[in-house]
Amino acid sequence: MDVTISESWKPLLQEEFDAPYFAELADFVRNEYRNHQCYPRGKDIFAAFAHTQPENLKAVIIGQDPYHGPGQAHGLCFSVQDGIAHPPSLINIFKELQTDVGADYPKSGNLERWAQQGVLLLNATLTVRAGNAGSHQGKGWERFTDAVIKKISASQDGIIFLLWGGFARKKASLIDASRHHLLHSGHPSPLSANRGYWFGNKHFSKSNEILLSKGQAPIDW
């Protein structure tokens, strides 16, 4: 498995890459990609770490699984590649963005523009078999991404963690809330959003208010 990440992540994460569980995970992923159609492309598995560096980190958004449809996943949670139809959760993210900060509805669902401004778009599981949601859960990815969250919490201050939905909210136990900002909300999926747990959370404007209060540049969502 080709681990392509920013050099500045390596001091934080090398201990995980060297751990026996990660070698087992890498063997599993290589075998899956060799024998099945899997997403994202191999070179994009660690895209979240390639687009966002720890020294520029402002916020973390936690997803669960990559999209498992053709051409969708490219290593950033909730994001799809240019020209791909927006999945329902992403549509609701963009609707909330419109009402919260008055932004135009984006044509592209590619969130690299967020990642490049310091938003780590981290799925708990970084790979999936095509058409089979959750197929790579429980193989070691969660241990790795939990370690990422813990290491960010321990090594940085003032990071904004956007915890959308019950799965993401459980990750709050990994974060030192006395050092960081935790914004909780329902998930943007239609099931949650239509029950009133997503729309109106104003997480985009709240994040920028926090950044401005610290003298940092806001995120151009």
Side-chain angles (χ1 to χ4, degrees):
M1 183 166 55
D2 182 20
V3 180
T4 304
I5 61 172
S6 167
E7 285 294 321
S8 53
W9 281 107
K10 291 184 178 178
L12 274 179
L13 302 181
Q14 195 62 51
E15 180 182 5
E16 302 305 313
F17 296 143
D18 294 339
Y21 86 86
F22 197 87
E24 295 175 8
L25 170 62
D27 286 343
F28 166 78
V29 170
R30 276 192 291 265
N31 186 62
E32 283 286 293
Y33 274 70
R34 189 179 300 122
N35 294 296
H36 305 278
Q37 178 69 53
C38 296
Y39 302 121
R41 296 173 298 182
K43 70 182 185 69
D44 290 332
I45 292 173
F46 292 92
F49 303 96
H51 289 293
T52 307
Q53 291 73 45
E55 62 269 23
N56 299 325
L57 189 62
K58 293 180 177 179
V60 179
I61 298 176
I62 299 171
Q64 191 163 359
D65 240 17
Y67 296 119
H68 53 85
Q72 293 179 307
H74 63 129
L76 307 176
C77 72
F78 294 106
S79 179
V80 293
Q81 299 185 70
D82 292 323
I84 298 296
H86 301 175
S89 289
L90 186 58
I91 290 173
N92 285 337
I93 288 171
F94 286 160
K95 285 181 178 178
E96 175 60 22
L97 181 62
Q98 281 183 292
T99 58
D100 184 14
V101 300
D104 292 333
Y105 188 96
K107 292 181 180 179
S108 174
N110 189 329
L111 302 181
E112 284 181 11
R113 59 189 182 275
W114 293 4
Q116 290 163 358
Q117 295 178 80
V119 182
L120 182 66
L121 298 165
L122 181 67
N123 273 317
T125 302
L126 299 189
T127 57
V128 68
R129 193 185 293 185
N132 192 352
S135 50
H136 289 184
Q137 292 177 4
K139 304 298 183 181
W141 278 130
E142 295 92 340
R143 180 172 173 180
F144 172 72
T145 53
D146 279 359
V148 172
I149 295 167
K150 289 179 184 176
K151 289 174 187 292
I152 290 172
S153 175
S155 64
Q156 305 235 24
D157 287 294
I159 304 300
I160 304 162
F161 288 86
L162 294 92
L163 306 177
W164 297 343
F167 178 85
R169 290 199 300 273
K170 290 178 182 177
K171 303 298 182 182
S173 64
L174 308 174
I175 305 162
D176 184 346
S178 70
R179 296 176 59 175
H180 301 284
H181 307 275
L182 278 62
L183 301 182
H184 298 264
S185 170
H187 196 274
S189 68
L191 182 63
S192 173
N194 292 338
R195 290 178 176 175
Y197 301 134
W198 166 255
F199 292 117
N201 65 32
K202 298 187 180 298
H203 278 191
F204 303 107
S205 60
K206 287 177 180 177
S207 296
N208 280 347
E209 287 169 6
I210 292 168
L211 292 170
L212 288 168
S213 74
K214 300 189 297 178
Q216 292 183 264
I219 295 161
D220 181 4
W221 299 105

